[in-house]
Amino acid sequence: AQSVTQPDIHITVSEGASLELRCNYSYGATPYLFWYVQSPGQGLQLLLKYFSGDTLVQGIKGFEAEFKRSQSSFNLRKPSVHWSDAAEYFCAPKIGGSQGNLIFGKGTKLSVKP
Amino acid sequence: NAGVTQTPKFRILKIGQSMTLQCTQDMNHNYMYWYRQDPGMGLKLIYYSVGAGITDKGEVPNGYNVSRSTTEDFPLRLELAAPSQTSVYFCASSYQAEAFFGQGTRLTVV
């Protein structure tokens, strides 16, 4: 069955430190891959996406993600975290092609220490 | 530039009541979706639609109904509200692969 795993439920980092949020998916083919961010009480905002080509993709707010086919992973990174990055982050593969359905991970809540 | 608009933002229902969550998009997207979000569970797909007049069940459709009479609107109906339907509901529309989300409706059933 298709699934997506975000193994870290809650991560705390210091402001200015680097960040990596992990995401693994289980699917027969390479899906379209997305990362969304959700601030408290808000909807979901797209951070970045991977469809094909260069496996390192850049997104908004200084985030990037790297697709690794051999590991079925799509980890999100940021070199230097800002206090405003505190939010919940969701990895979401899209199964079934460009108009398939998003499958969401359970999310990783990021807290930022001053 | 409204995007995806959901109403209401908050609602409290009594057990057994019914209500409709409204969703409209102004981007002329064919694909639309309803998700529910429960704490620690990510988003689960309730129903989706690939175009006007066509709807299909997602992962957790029980207790819900949808209709899609126009491209713009995709209302979600709860007929007999139950406490298990307490959740935050998100509507989304999609163009090619990218989905755009509304701000959500927080529903409490008491």
Side-chain angles (χ1 to χ4, degrees):
Chain A
Q2 302 104 355
S3 66
V4 56
T5 301
Q6 292 181 248
D8 304 304
I9 296 172
H10 190 185
I11 286 181
T12 301
V13 299
S14 297
E15 191 168 15
S18 64
L19 171 70
E20 183 170 28
L21 302 182
R22 296 180 289 165
C23 173
N24 292 91
Y25 63 90
S26 172
Y27 184 56
T30 299
Y32 293 91
L33 294 160
F34 301 82
W35 274 98
Y36 285 87
V37 60
Q38 184 181 33
S39 298
Q42 300 297 311
L44 279 77
Q45 182 182 19
L46 179 67
L47 276 179
L48 46 75
K49 59 194 176 189
Y50 172 78
F51 293 169
S52 64
D54 192 346
T55 57
L56 185 63
V57 294
Q58 303 297 320
I60 62 171
K61 305 184 181 187
F63 284 91
E64 66 179 26
E66 185 173 14
F67 168 62
K68 292 186 177 180
R69 185 188 307 275
S70 61
Q71 299 176 19
S72 296
S73 68
F74 189 54
N75 294 347
L76 181 71
R77 301 195 294 246
K78 186 169 184 178
S80 177
V81 169
H82 188 262
W83 64 266
S84 61
D85 293 325
E88 193 155 18
Y89 293 80
F90 293 95
C91 178
K94 190 164 227 188
I95 306 300
S98 64
Q99 295 297 356
N101 293 327
L102 288 166
I103 297 178
F104 282 86
K106 294 184 177 181
T108 297
K109 184 177 180 180
L110 174 65
S111 298
V112 180
K113 292 189 299 185
Chain B
N1 191 8
V4 179
T5 302
Q6 291 182 237
T7 56
K9 287 184 168 50
F10 303 93
R11 183 72 186 269
I12 298 174
L13 275 183
K14 293 185 179 179
I15 295 171
Q17 286 185 320
S18 62
M19 77 163 294
T20 299
L21 283 66
Q22 301 291 345
C23 175
T24 187
Q25 52 97 3
D26 62 358
M27 297 174 283
N28 202 34
H29 291 169
N30 283 328
Y31 284 71
M32 295 188 74
Y33 310 83
W34 274 106
Y35 292 89
R36 60 177 287 171
Q37 182 181 28
D38 300 302
M41 297 301 293
L43 279 75
K44 301 289 187 184
L45 182 65
I46 305 172
Y47 270 95
Y48 65 100
S49 169
V50 303
I54 306 170
T55 62
D56 209 344
K57 295 178 181 178
E59 185 179 358
V60 290
N62 291 344
Y64 307 95
N65 279 299
V66 293
S67 59
R68 185 92 182 275
S69 57
T70 67
T71 298
E72 294 78 19
D73 300 307
F74 190 40
L76 177 72
R77 178 87 177 158
L78 283 71
E79 291 293 351
L80 290 170
S84 61
Q85 293 177 305
T86 293
S87 188
V88 181
Y89 292 84
F90 288 99
C91 178
S93 69
S94 175
Y95 172 69
Q96 295 183 340
E98 184 173 340
F100 300 83
F101 286 82
Q103 292 298 299
T105 295
R106 184 175 294 275
L107 175 67
T108 302
V109 182
V110 296

